[in-house]
Amino acid sequence: MREHARAETPPDTLPLKIKKKKKMAAGIPAVTSSLKHGLQNMGISRTVKTLTMVNQQEGFDCPGCAWPDPSHRTQFEFCENGAKAVADEATKRRVTPEFFSKHSIQYLSMQSDRWLNKQGRITHPMVLEEGSSHYVPITWDDAFSMIAGEVNKLENPNRSVFYTSGRTSNEAAFLYQAMVRSIGTNNLPDCSNMCHESSGKGLGATIGIGKGTVHLDDFNHADVILVIGQNPGTNHPRMLTALRDAKLKGATLIHVNPLPEAGLERFKHPQDYMKMNLSSTQLSDFHLPVKIGGDAALLKGLIKIHDELGHLDSKFIANQTGGFDSMLEKARDTDWNAIVRDSGLPRELISEVGQVVARSKATIACWAMGLTQQPNGVAVIQEVVNLLLMGGHVGRPGAGFCPVRGHSNVQGDRTVGIWEAAPVSFIERMEKGLNISIPREHGYDVVGAIQAMRDGAVDVFFCMGGNFISATPDTMATAEGLRKVGLTVQVSTKLNRSHLVTGKKALILPCLGRTELDVQGTGPQFVSVENSMGIVHRSTGSLPPASSHLRSEPWIVAQLSQHLFTNSPIDWSGMVEDYDMIRNLMEKSLSGFEDYNKRVRLENGFLLPNPPRDSRTFDTPSGRAHFTTHDLPDVRIDDEQFIMMTIRSHDQYNTTIYDVHDRYRGVSGNRRIVLMNALDMAERGWKNRQMVSITSHFEGETRTADGWQLVAYEIPRKNIATYFPEANILVPLRSTAKDSNTPTSKWIKVTLADFHGDEEE
Ligand code: SF4
């Protein structure tokens, strides 16, 4: 029996440094940081080559977030974190068979996630045999035979699960779902189950599409821009350019976040220096430090003010919406004391902001995990919809919804079929296009897949990219589930903890990255992705592959399918000879992809249909947009309890830890920290660097993690913040948002206690 590898990252042991938080984002520090990561990983020439290719027409799409490219690109069309993502993938460091022969998975698991990531690109397909603790090389053919053997002997195809990370291209994701559905299951969980699933559910039910409804240019026409539960300075940095431009055109920016994020205080565009423009721009006009979970109360307050002041788009409400009266009645019945108590904001401030919102001629609302990962994530997003529909802020210039995706193609993956609960109409069109029959039974989402693994109901778990063990909630529960699986497979570029916490047998299939040249039978190929604003565009890698043994994601799926299926109606090998073939099949199987191969070659790609944006129409059963009626969520906690939210530092991208410098927040050296209100600390006699243990509480269950250092920070009382993924161990698997089943990583009840190190163990 193999000794278990450590499931959660051991803390970095560098000394914790605490400085004053920054009041401005980007500027020269962003340039130096981008160059530092470039030179450390790629050297000069490769740094120049890649950073002048990223997000360019003939170049590759940034493997970072999904913020759209402007139609007129600058020569340096990337942000600091985009540069880090590119340097991280195009690194010259290599993880070879020799590396694996030297290091057992147990040894590797005792290294931090930062250390694992720094080892570089995996060069060969590797296998971890049952009971073994060292990966050894395997041929592609033997790997595919192993997987096909395991899948084809399953008594029930639903004992196999196929996860997708949001970096997977449209072409790879489409072929992947075709393969999975050909196996006979819809078990297609993906990373959006853990992030914007609440947006998809909230918007889908109210405006008939689970996506944003604005163009990038709408930011230039907005009166008011709400940025709620989002930290663009770190997670979508080029958004700051759009916000700056909107400000310079007179827009009012309202920043709703428990934390005063530098990225929404002031912004200095690094390229302004080249124009000798040394000025920076004040961004947010209002920062509302709402209590964690207090957004719904705040929005209720804004709706009440809007009602009192009028400025309703009555014609739109009467002719194109439903549910207005009961929504308004609920808002009117909601007591201001409850609104002030739950939001943690004074009525005067809510009223002042409410007047600005009510008088706005054109409002855009942007949001991210701060809303989607709440227990009432779907309902609070629908309160945003209520607020904007009151003013008819949809489907006209400068107005609409803008959920900002954190993964470059997470929206695209869902569009092309990575969907465990796709509607029948979608499945029927797919069946016709692929000429296969597809089960109607919905598959597992991420939380469902983990529960199934824990119940011993999964024999094969396949991951197209990602780092499942670190990205998911309830780390120990996920690890327990993974270890029960017969075979786990990871298609990856770099080393991460999911290569160490595995099934009984495990495979690593190293794939080409976005930056790399992808040559198939008919020559170099390009792939396509969809950004947050529904634009599908090309991405063409040009760097020589990190190893001659790497293969593209479409090739991996096609080859595996040929091992799986003896007589499939899909010409798998033909598909990867020329990716135009894949796009032709997508055109037949999906709506909105007409003339795909022609339109994807257009300068800025093409827009997918979006009725609310395109024609102010709503693809809902009633054909109307819907106001919805929600009670305030129960956000009460016991006296000794706190509400914890997990956050990302400025030196990470999702589970990828580039380094330990959360520059904007003034924290560096250690990631096992707790941002806490100084008054809450003082009340307990605690100071900076005080060691504590954190215990989460959920329906009688507790989970404890020790050895966190306190950092006094501007955060509302009784609220704390910890880093993702370190704090995932405290997020209960069953603690999910209603209707979307998204883990509630932004709302966890916890208690804290002194921790005195080892003598306590
Ligand atoms: S904003 Fe997002 S997509 Fe753009 S360069 Fe930065 S990380 Fe990449």
Side-chain angles (χ1 to χ4, degrees), residues 54-55 61-69 77-86 232 234-240 405-406 408 653 658:
V54 60
N55 292 332
D61 180 62
C62 168
C65 80
W67 187 255
D69 307 318
E77 196 51 61
F78 58 87
C79 72
E80 174 190 350
N81 283 356
K84 289 176 189 170
V86 170
T234 287
N235 301 319
H236 319 94
R238 282 188 302 158
M239 179 175 168
L240 301 189
R405 312 278 173 158
S408 55
Y653 173 71
Y658 299 127

Side-chain angles (χ1 to χ4, degrees), residues 81-312:
N81 283 356
K84 289 176 189 170
V86 170
D88 199 62
E89 182 190 290
T91 179
K92 289 183 173 177
R93 297 194 189 101
R94 299 287 176 265
V95 174
T96 61
E98 293 68 38
F99 173 92
F100 282 112
S101 64
K102 255 193 278 149
H103 302 303
S104 69
I105 60 163
Q106 291 81 4
Y107 167 83
L108 292 171
S109 74
M110 296 311 292
Q111 313 311 310
S112 73
D113 287 352
R114 182 171 69 101
W115 183 93
L116 291 172
N117 184 57
K118 275 196 181 324
Q119 302 315 304
R121 296 286 302 275
I122 300 166
T123 60
H124 289 67
M126 303 295 292
V127 62
L128 182 70
E129 295 292 357
E130 185 152 0
S132 165
S133 59
H134 283 72
Y135 276 96
V136 293
I138 185 171
T139 66
W140 281 104
D141 208 46
D142 289 350
F144 293 139
S145 303
M146 179 189 282
I147 303 166
E150 295 294 330
V151 170
N152 287 339
K153 77 179 183 197
L154 292 175
E155 72 214 34
N156 172 348
N158 285 325
R159 295 188 63 83
S160 60
V161 175
F162 297 83
Y163 173 77
T164 308
S165 138
R167 188 175 287 187
T168 306
S169 69
N170 280 353
E171 290 76 7
F174 177 79
L175 275 190
Y176 185 53
Q177 63 85 36
M179 175 189 82
V180 173
R181 290 189 163 116
S182 299
I183 290 169
T185 179
N186 287 311
N187 284 343
L188 286 159
D190 73 320
C191 60
S192 72
N193 293 153
M194 294 183 280
C195 65
H196 273 286
E197 196 71 52
S198 299
S199 303
K201 292 282 189 306
L203 292 172
T206 49
I207 63 169
I209 187 171
K211 300 178 179 183
T213 67
V214 297
H215 300 284
L216 187 53
D217 184 52
D218 281 314
F219 282 77
N220 296 321
H221 305 284
D223 266 3
V224 167
I225 300 172
L226 290 154
V227 182
I228 314 173
Q230 185 199 357
N231 177 18
T234 287
N235 301 319
H236 319 94
R238 282 188 302 158
M239 179 175 168
L240 301 189
T241 306
L243 294 176
R244 178 212 49 194
D245 296 351
K247 272 293 303 220
L248 296 177
K249 292 192 173 69
T252 300
L253 254 65
I254 299 166
H255 172 205
V256 179
N257 193 320
L259 298 177
E261 302 289 15
L264 278 158
E265 288 187 54
R266 183 166 281 279
F267 170 55
K268 176 64 196 151
H269 197 306
Q271 293 179 41
D272 283 355
Y273 293 109
M274 297 199 280
K275 302 174 216 149
M276 299 317 288
N277 165 2
L278 305 183
S279 68
S280 62
T281 309
Q282 167 74 34
L283 289 182
S284 54
D285 299 278
F286 296 93
H287 170 222
L288 281 68
V290 69
K291 283 167 68 169
I292 300 175
D295 308 270
L298 165 64
L299 289 160
K300 204 67 101 181
L302 296 177
I303 289 168
K304 286 167 78 71
I305 299 292
H306 205 329
D307 171 34
E308 286 157 18
L309 284 176
H311 300 291
L312 299 176

Side-chain angles (χ1 to χ4, degrees), residues 592-619:
F593 284 82
E594 299 71 26
D595 283 334
Y596 191 359
N597 275 311
K598 200 162 107 234
R599 295 193 297 157
V600 75
R601 286 177 169 81
L602 295 173
E603 179 146 303
N604 289 309
F606 65 95
L607 272 168
L608 287 169
N610 187 307
R613 177 199 62 209
D614 303 341
S615 56
R616 222 175 186 212
T617 54
F618 307 98
D619 189 9

Side-chain angles (χ1 to χ4, degrees), residues 293-597:
D295 308 270
L298 165 64
L299 289 160
K300 204 67 101 181
L302 296 177
I303 289 168
K304 286 167 78 71
I305 299 292
H306 205 329
D307 171 34
E308 286 157 18
L309 284 176
H311 300 291
L312 299 176
D313 186 338
S314 311
K315 196 156 151 280
F316 169 72
I317 291 170
N319 301 340
Q320 292 185 269
T321 73
F324 178 67
D325 296 340
S326 65
M327 182 283 288
L328 206 54
E329 189 189 338
K330 176 62 75 178
R332 288 175 178 168
D333 294 348
T334 303
D335 177 37
W336 268 109
N337 295 329
I339 289 173
V340 169
R341 178 199 64 214
D342 292 359
S343 69
L345 300 169
R347 181 169 176 177
E348 300 68 35
L349 177 58
I350 298 174
S351 171
E352 187 184 354
V353 169
Q355 291 166 36
V356 171
V357 172
R359 293 199 178 96
S360 167
K361 299 270 179 301
T363 301
I364 294 177
C366 310
W367 67 83
M369 305 307 107
L371 290 187
T372 66
Q373 295 179 334
Q374 298 276 348
N376 64 319
V378 174
V380 72
I381 286 162
Q382 292 183 336
E383 291 287 16
V384 173
V385 174
N386 286 339
L387 181 64
L388 264 64
L389 290 183
M390 292 176 83
H393 297 294
V394 60
R396 53 187 177 74
F401 306 103
C402 186
V404 186
R405 312 278 173 158
H407 228 312
S408 55
N409 199 36
V410 63
Q411 188 163 307
D413 292 341
R414 180 56 60 90
T415 301
V416 303
I418 303 297
W419 198 350
E420 83 285 352
V424 172
S425 56
F426 184 92
I427 293 293
E428 286 169 348
R429 172 138 191 181
M430 189 65 79
E431 278 184 327
K432 226 154 120 266
L434 297 175
N435 187 17
I436 62 171
S437 77
I438 299 174
R440 295 299 186 267
E441 180 196 0
H442 287 174
Y444 298 129
D445 62 11
V446 165
V447 168
I450 297 169
Q451 270 151 351
M453 285 189 253
R454 294 182 75 204
D455 301 340
V458 177
D459 299 324
V460 177
F461 180 56
F462 191 109
C463 287
M464 184 60 84
N467 179 3
F468 194 81
I469 184 66
S470 298
T472 47
D474 218 338
T475 312
M476 291 316 182
T478 305
E480 180 205 337
L482 285 167
R483 291 180 181 127
K484 287 184 181 170
V485 175
L487 173 65
T488 53
V489 182
Q490 299 278 335
V491 176
S492 303
T493 54
K494 303 194 68 193
L495 189 62
N496 66 48
R497 199 158 293 280
S498 293
H499 301 130
L500 313 176
V501 182
T502 70
K504 298 183 178 62
K505 275 190 299 196
L507 285 166
I508 302 176
L509 304 180
C511 65
L512 292 175
R514 271 282 168 83
T515 57
E516 291 168 325
L517 190 60
D518 178 359
V519 179
Q520 300 297 336
T522 59
Q525 304 293 319
F526 68 81
V527 292
S528 58
V529 292
E530 176 190 342
N531 61 38
S532 281
M533 291 177 185
I535 298 172
V536 175
H537 59 99
R538 273 174 301 150
S539 175
T540 313
S542 56
L543 289 182
S547 150
S548 60
H549 299 276
L550 303 187
R551 295 290 180 269
S552 76
E553 292 169 327
W555 183 91
I556 291 170
V557 174
Q559 288 295 320
L560 174 55
S561 299
Q562 289 168 81
H563 282 71
L564 280 164
F565 313 122
T566 42
N567 53 11
S568 165
I570 300 170
D571 171 11
W572 299 99
S573 59
M575 288 292 139
V576 286
E577 283 289 304
D578 179 349
Y579 293 177
D580 276 1
M581 296 277 287
I582 304 173
R583 290 183 281 269
N584 288 343
L585 192 55
M586 292 169 78
E587 196 172 319
K588 279 189 352 186
S589 313
L590 300 162
S591 64
F593 284 82
E594 299 71 26
D595 283 334
Y596 191 359
N597 275 311

